[in-house]
Amino acid sequence: MTTTEKAVPEHLVVDFDIYDQSLAQPVDNVQQRVAELSAKGPIVYSTAHGGHWIVTRYKEIHEVLRDPDTFSSYPNNLVTGPAGMGKLLPIELDPPEHTGYRLAMQPLFSPSRMKALTEQIRDQVNELIDDFAGKGEAEFISEFAHELPARVFLALMDWPLEDAPLFTEATDIILMGKPGLNEEENQQARAAAGFEMFGYFHKMVQERRENPGDDVTSTLIHTEVELEDGKRLLTDEELYRMLFLLLIAGLHTVQGSLAWAIIHLVNNPEQRRALIEDESLIPTAVEEILRIEAAVVPGRRATRDVELGGVQIKEGDQLILTLCSANRDSDEFDDPTELQLDRHPNRHLSFGGGPHRCLGSHLARIELSLALEELHRRIPDYDLVESDPPILHASQVRGCMRLPIIFTPTA
Amino acid sequence: MSDLRQQVQRLVVDTSACAGHGLCYSTSPQLLDCDDQGYPVVLQDLSSEHDVQAAEAAVIVCPERALTIEPR
Ligand code: SF4
């Protein structure tokens, strides 16, 4: 039997719902609300989505991430999971089942492979900036922060660039639902969007099976993988679930982090000046931007009764891990709410931890570094537009949907 | 303390704990490289004070606490 509200100490019961858009609009106060939860304890119980635990502090979150035997990564999400499209590979598997898939994908996103892409990504960054640099204004999300990871993803996969809007729409619906729909209608909308993506993957996989290249799609199709049932090629179904994960994981996370970079640097002019003057700050600056907001709120499920952070969790209970509050835990970080571009050490958990740690971290870091370099070289005096403030959104992948900026036009 | 420092030490990766974050080899590239999977590879012993400092920086940056400095 899973835990019910009645079984939880009263002071730990909250009505926090990470999908409630009033957390992020009109003003984003997710961090403040999550800090309030963290002040109540390392783990609290929310009545939303049929009841689930929210783990708030660094130590406990780290413990959960590194113990997949007790805290399964399936379902990883409060709203899709069983009602959705089945398991995302490999993130919703646990070791040892997880390991073979993970090892098969890891080299495709290894630091050396990602480094080799640097100049190509830098070109994409500059092409995007070229389109708005002369105007002195831009809607940063649609003109840059969304486009960049979408283009990089499509280039990695070697899929047509003009298909980007299809992905935008489908991933928006899957992560955030559609505005104005009730929970049941949203489930249906999510399933339909997922179905559409699977159809697209089907088409691309068949195409690459016949005409292989050296892109990620072709490599995944044609590489034998050491799995529990022996060494073999991946099935179509497995390929679609992997591609789906790459898509879900790769786009909005980078988009949100880019937006937060702009917002935090506008709000910290001295730090921005330091960054413009000294490019060597960029690697630590990227880690600090990743730390201060942490886009992802991963989910876990207890596989047995267990004590965590002083409370009793029951087998089958669902948990979410607010990485954003772990990253602002004063037991781990000095002055945790302050942006410090040279912060060291910075053991943030924005990429998770343990065996499911983000596979795309090296790619994300390169995308963010190059974006920060080129934006500060080309439009260093960007500013927010007071009459048209950023629109952020809550959910298990937090982020930004609209961010108008102005700056001195350049060639 | 100075005695300890004179003895040759090395950086050791606990591969069962390492999750390939890559923070260590970005922090201390002179001591650590990475393999195709993104896991760290130790390049050399710690033969100078400078190396030891770099190794300490790598140890402290690892979120998985997978690195230690041990006597050779
Ligand atoms: S920082 Fe730690 S977990 Fe990451 S690659 Fe280095 S040793 Fe492994």
Side-chain angles (χ1 to χ4, degrees):
Chain A
M1 229 191 47
T2 55
T3 297
T4 59
E5 197 178 322
K6 282 191 229 78
V8 183
E10 208 177 311
H11 69 286
L12 294 181
V13 178
V14 298
D15 64 357
F16 181 92
D17 176 4
I18 192 70
Y19 285 90
D20 175 1
Q21 291 316 309
S22 71
L23 288 172
Q25 290 160 21
V27 180
D28 185 53
N29 59 13
V30 172
Q31 291 282 6
Q32 188 192 327
R33 291 288 309 279
V34 171
E36 286 162 19
L37 302 181
S38 179
K40 284 183 199 281
I43 176 161
V44 296
Y45 187 84
S46 166
T47 53
H49 303 283
H52 63 276
W53 298 98
I54 304 175
V55 191
T56 64
R57 304 228 184 116
Y58 192 97
K59 179 173 162 282
E60 284 76 13
I61 288 181
H62 205 209
E63 206 174 309
V64 170
L65 288 169
R66 300 207 293 175
D67 184 359
D69 287 344
T70 311
F71 300 102
S72 168
S73 184
Y74 180 77
N76 193 281
N77 188 303
L78 293 173
V79 295
T80 56
M85 276 71 64
K87 294 186 184 185
L88 292 172
L89 296 188
I91 194 170
E92 290 195 314
L93 300 178
D94 297 303
E97 210 189 352
H98 167 262
T99 313
Y101 295 98
R102 166 101 196 182
L103 290 176
M105 289 172 92
Q106 216 154 252
L108 297 171
F109 297 90
S110 74
S112 47
R113 210 165 164 222
M114 294 302 108
K115 226 174 271 157
L117 289 174
T118 299
E119 287 320 304
Q120 214 179 318
I121 298 175
R122 191 190 298 280
D123 289 346
Q124 304 270 17
V125 168
N126 277 314
E127 262 176 45
L128 291 171
I129 300 177
D130 287 344
D131 286 343
F132 58 73
K135 285 193 297 177
E137 58 171 25
E139 198 287 277
F140 186 73
I141 302 301
S142 57
E143 294 184 64
F144 189 84
H146 178 80
E147 273 298 299
L148 179 64
R151 284 188 185 202
V152 169
F153 174 79
L154 289 167
L156 272 171
M157 297 299 147
D158 190 27
W159 297 349
L161 215 57
E162 59 273 18
D163 290 339
L166 187 84
F167 295 123
T168 312
E169 210 197 312
T171 53
D172 276 351
I173 295 171
I174 289 158
L175 292 172
M176 296 175 280
K178 275 191 187 170
L181 296 188
N182 67 32
E183 202 159 321
E184 195 182 313
E185 289 165 337
N186 255 327
Q187 288 286 9
Q188 283 167 6
R190 287 191 163 101
F195 198 71
E196 193 189 344
M197 288 316 322
F198 272 45
Y200 184 90
F201 298 154
H202 175 76
K203 198 176 83 195
M204 294 319 296
V205 165
Q206 300 321 322
E207 213 263 315
R208 280 316 125 80
R209 185 162 276 142
E210 281 155 34
N211 306 302
D214 58 5
D215 51 279
V216 168
T217 322
S218 304
T219 312
L220 282 175
I221 295 174
H222 297 282
T223 309
E224 289 203 329
V225 179
E226 194 73 61
L227 296 170
E228 279 198 302
D229 56 0
K231 194 166 175 158
R232 61 168 173 83
L233 290 175
L234 297 165
T235 66
D236 284 1
E237 179 79 11
E238 287 169 330
L239 289 166
Y240 305 158
R241 293 190 194 296
M242 282 182 167
L243 294 169
F244 197 45
L245 171 65
L246 295 179
L247 184 69
I248 294 278
L251 298 197
H252 287 254
T253 49
V254 173
Q255 171 177 329
S257 304
L258 285 167
W260 281 313
I262 296 291
I263 295 170
H264 282 287
L265 288 166
V266 165
N267 292 331
N268 291 273
E270 273 165 41
Q271 304 262 347
R272 167 156 51 155
R273 203 166 316 126
L275 185 74
I276 293 166
E277 279 165 17
D278 182 5
E279 252 191 26
S280 72
L281 259 179
I282 284 182
T284 53
V286 166
E287 299 306 324
E288 180 67 345
I289 296 290
L290 288 166
R291 180 191 72 87
I292 201 142
E293 293 291 348
V296 183
V297 182
R300 291 290 188 269
R301 177 181 47 87
T303 59
R304 59 179 176 90
D305 294 0
V306 62
E307 200 203 296
L308 180 74
V311 304
Q312 202 52 48
I313 310 239
K314 289 270 188 206
E315 178 182 346
D317 281 0
Q318 193 70 27
L319 303 87
I320 62 170
L321 317 175
T322 47
L323 303 181
C324 55
S325 60
N327 282 354
R328 293 184 179 205
D329 185 333
S330 57
D331 284 343
E332 169 68 24
F333 301 95
D334 296 334
D335 301 319
T337 57
E338 240 173 65
L339 185 80
Q340 297 174 359
L341 298 186
D342 57 355
R343 190 180 283 278
H344 177 83
N346 185 353
R347 292 177 289 219
H348 67 76
L349 296 178
S350 299
F351 292 123
H356 292 96
R357 187 197 61 86
C358 173
L359 190 66
S361 60
H362 309 295
L363 176 58
R365 286 188 175 115
I366 289 193
E367 290 182 59
L368 293 172
S369 304
L370 293 169
L372 290 189
E373 271 177 40
E374 297 302 320
L375 288 166
H376 290 92
R377 187 171 66 80
R378 299 191 55 188
I379 55 160
D381 65 350
Y382 57 80
D383 203 350
L384 304 184
V385 180
E386 215 172 306
S387 60
D388 195 357
I391 300 178
L392 290 114
H393 72 87
S395 87
Q396 286 187 262
V397 184
R398 305 167 52 230
C400 181
M401 294 186 295
R402 189 179 149 73
L403 175 57
I405 54 168
I406 46 171
F407 49 87
T408 305
T410 55
Chain B
M1 178 137 140
S2 63
D3 283 0
L4 251 182
R5 293 262 162 113
Q6 264 147 33
Q7 187 187 343
V8 177
Q9 295 176 299
R10 62 188 180 127
L11 198 53
V12 178
V13 184
D14 173 355
T15 48
S16 67
C18 170
H21 289 261
L23 291 167
C24 57
Y25 46 81
S26 323
T27 301
S28 308
Q30 69 274 42
L31 295 179
L32 293 160
D33 195 2
C34 66
D35 67 12
D36 281 349
Q37 290 277 358
Y39 295 118
V41 180
V42 178
L43 296 175
Q44 54 166 84
D45 285 343
L46 311 177
S47 45
S48 68
E49 180 67 19
H50 184 249
D51 287 349
V52 175
Q53 279 169 9
E56 283 166 352
V59 168
I60 196 173
V61 90
C62 172
E64 310 288 344
R65 319 294 198 267
L67 294 172
T68 43
I69 297 173
E70 287 175 15
R72 174 91 219 158

